[in-house]
Amino acid sequence: MEIKIIMKNKCGFNLIIKTHIFVIVLFIVSSTPISANAQTVEEMYKLFANNGYLYSYDQTGRLTDYQNQSSVTKYEYDLNGNILSKKTLSRTLNQWQLGNGVGSNSQFVSDVNGDGKSDAVLFFKDSGSWYVSLSNGQQFTSYQKWIAGHGVGSGHQFLADADGDGKADAVIENNGSWYVALSNGSGFEGYKLWISGHGVGANALFLSDVNGDGKADAVIENSGNWYVALSTGKGFEAYSKWISGHGVGATKEFLTDVNGDKRADAVVFFEKEGSWYVSLSNGKSFIEYKRWIYGHGIGSEEQILADVNGDGKSDAVIVNHGSWYVSITDGERFTSYDIWISGYGFGSKSYLLADIDGDHKAEAIVIYPNESWYVWDYS
């Protein structure tokens, strides 16, 4: 994809520089442009701060979008190259936290104090320490240690509401034993064993509400078999098989509500063909799976399921070379995908989607190796 940046110099002349998406030219208004690589959002942010615009073109040379600090304008064309639509979306791109999480093993974004805004949470495996930076809707505040010694050397860590009080709890799994440290809104309380012998050698483990009672359940997948241990709010019940033969050989598995009935569904993704298969939950089992979309995410770097439009249903999002493509769910399938963001996330180590400002729509979050947290929010 070709990129063109246009700015005016002191004499009032337009300066036009073209390059490829992997190298974006960055310069400040002056008689002599200053160029630099812009492979991170930090450098793109500087470009926008100097009133610059970023222009993107497809392989035929057609303008696909242009963006600045506050908006993105996107074009759609028919088969003859005529413009079908021009749509402008307002947005903000802000740094929410700097230096939060250096040396951490896992990073999470979930609401731990019950105010409806997802918070930034870090886990350090060597000490079992969990640090929380609460969201105030505009930034992540200074982090605080909420618990230590919980999950030292553990295999898996989760952050989800296990007791149904609206606050995400710190949960770890190690060799089939699941320990839960409940959140009281200002810290994680002492951890307790909720189940043992559940998930040893599993391909994937999840913590999500599959029966719609508001409490996250312990779910594992192994060789296409999905086993569920329902939460009582004080422990996980004995596990039972909810479906067989779903996801054998899949690239990635998910557990989230894609049809809006408050029950998390079993979703699997196959990268080679970009196929997403969904097995809906009826509260007692996962029903027969169906393919919801084909050709979405072939060769992509990251795949995420989250509600980006606020309708209560998780949408299929893929990220590739800084481009974020979204396939909205209508409750029965994932519709045709569309590009939502261009050039966001170069050089980052983590891509996340979560509602951190309480508007019920997930924002795009990237974390860089220097532990800078950036948030991209469409309105």
Side-chain angles (χ1 to χ4, degrees):
M1 180 179 293
E2 184 177 286
I3 302 294
K4 179 170 68 175
I5 301 172
I6 300 178
M7 295 180 68
K8 292 182 179 294
N9 65 10
K10 288 184 177 179
C11 297
F13 295 102
N14 285 337
L15 300 175
I16 302 175
I17 298 179
K18 292 185 179 181
T19 184
H20 291 88
I21 193 168
F22 299 107
V23 180
I24 302 173
V25 176
L26 170 67
F27 60 95
I28 302 173
V29 179
S30 64
S31 58
T32 303
I34 301 173
S35 63
N37 288 337
Q39 294 187 357
T40 67
V41 72
E42 285 99 332
E43 292 171 348
M44 184 172 68
Y45 189 62
K46 291 177 184 176
L47 169 68
F48 291 154
N50 286 282
N51 299 315
Y53 278 80
L54 197 63
Y55 291 81
S56 300
Y57 299 84
D58 63 18
Q59 293 180 346
T60 67
R62 296 179 302 192
L63 178 65
T64 57
D65 65 74
Y66 64 88
Q67 55 186 288
N68 64 4
Q69 173 72 10
S70 60
S71 67
V72 176
T73 299
K74 299 192 296 183
Y75 291 85
E76 291 185 356
Y77 300 86
D78 62 20
L79 296 177
N80 296 318
N82 300 309
I83 296 176
L84 289 176
S85 67
K86 175 184 177 183
K87 181 169 62 174
T88 299
L89 298 172
S90 61
R91 62 98 190 276
T92 57
L93 172 63
N94 290 313
Q95 185 182 77
W96 273 48
Q97 184 65 268
L98 176 64
N100 183 19
V102 175
S104 60
N105 299 99
S106 299
Q107 303 84 35
F108 306 90
V109 186
S110 191
D111 181 13
V112 295
N113 65 345
D115 66 353
K117 297 184 286 288
S118 292
D119 310 298
V121 181
L122 307 166
F123 170 75
F124 293 82
K125 189 174 183 178
D126 290 342
S127 62
S129 296
W130 299 66
Y131 288 85
V132 174
S133 295
L134 295 175
S135 169
N136 61 15
Q138 296 180 328
Q139 64 180 355
F140 293 125
T141 58
S142 298
Y143 57 85
Q144 297 178 341
K145 185 188 292 185
W146 274 36
I147 194 173
H150 177 43
V152 176
S154 58
H156 301 87
Q157 305 84 38
F158 309 90
L159 201 61
D161 182 11
D163 63 349
D165 66 352
K167 298 185 288 288
D169 310 301
V171 181
I172 69 97
E173 180 276 339
N174 203 33
N175 295 322
S177 294
W178 297 62
Y179 293 86
V180 177
L182 297 175
S183 170
N184 59 22
S186 58
F188 295 125
E189 299 176 352
Y191 57 85
K192 296 180 180 179
L193 177 64
W194 275 36
I195 194 174
S196 58
H198 179 45
V200 177
N203 293 333
L205 299 90
F206 309 92
L207 192 63
S208 192
D209 179 15
V210 297
N211 64 345
D213 65 354
K215 298 184 287 289
D217 310 298
V219 182
I220 69 101
E221 181 274 331
N222 198 19
S223 301
N225 298 313
W226 295 66
Y227 294 87
V228 174
L230 295 175
S231 171
T232 65
K234 296 182 178 180
F236 294 123
E237 298 178 345
Y239 58 84
S240 61
K241 186 187 293 185
W242 274 39
I243 194 172
S244 298
H246 178 43
V248 177
T251 306
K252 194 170 182 178
E253 302 90 3
F254 309 84
L255 194 64
T256 186
D257 180 16
V258 295
N259 66 343
D261 65 356
K262 309 299 182 183
R263 297 189 292 260
D265 310 298
V267 183
V268 299
F269 167 74
F270 292 84
E271 179 192 7
K272 186 175 181 180
E273 56 188 34
S275 292
W276 300 66
Y277 291 85
V278 175
S279 177
L280 296 175
S281 169
N282 61 17
K284 296 181 179 180
S285 65
F286 296 124
I287 63 176
E288 183 178 359
Y289 58 85
K290 296 180 180 179
R291 187 166 68 186
W292 276 35
I293 193 172
Y294 175 83
H296 178 43
I298 298 173
S300 55
E301 295 177 61
E302 185 64 272
Q303 308 84 35
I304 314 171
L305 281 173
D307 180 13
V308 298
N309 63 347
D311 66 355
K313 300 184 289 287
S314 290
D315 309 296
V317 182
I318 69 100
V319 187
N320 206 26
H321 300 302
S323 294
W324 298 58
Y325 294 84
V326 176
S327 174
I328 299 293
T329 175
D330 62 9
E332 296 181 348
R333 65 188 178 97
F334 293 125
T335 59
S336 297
Y337 57 85
D338 188 19
I339 188 167
W340 276 44
I341 309 176
S342 298
Y344 176 55
F346 293 123
S348 63
K349 68 175 187 178
S350 297
Y351 302 99
L352 303 170
L353 278 170
D355 176 19
I356 57 178
D357 59 3
D359 66 353
H360 306 295
K361 298 187 287 286
E363 284 79 43
I365 305 165
V366 296
I367 308 174
Y368 283 85
N370 67 350
E371 305 306 333
S372 297
W373 294 57
Y374 279 84
V375 175
W376 189 304
D377 182 20
Y378 278 108
S379 59

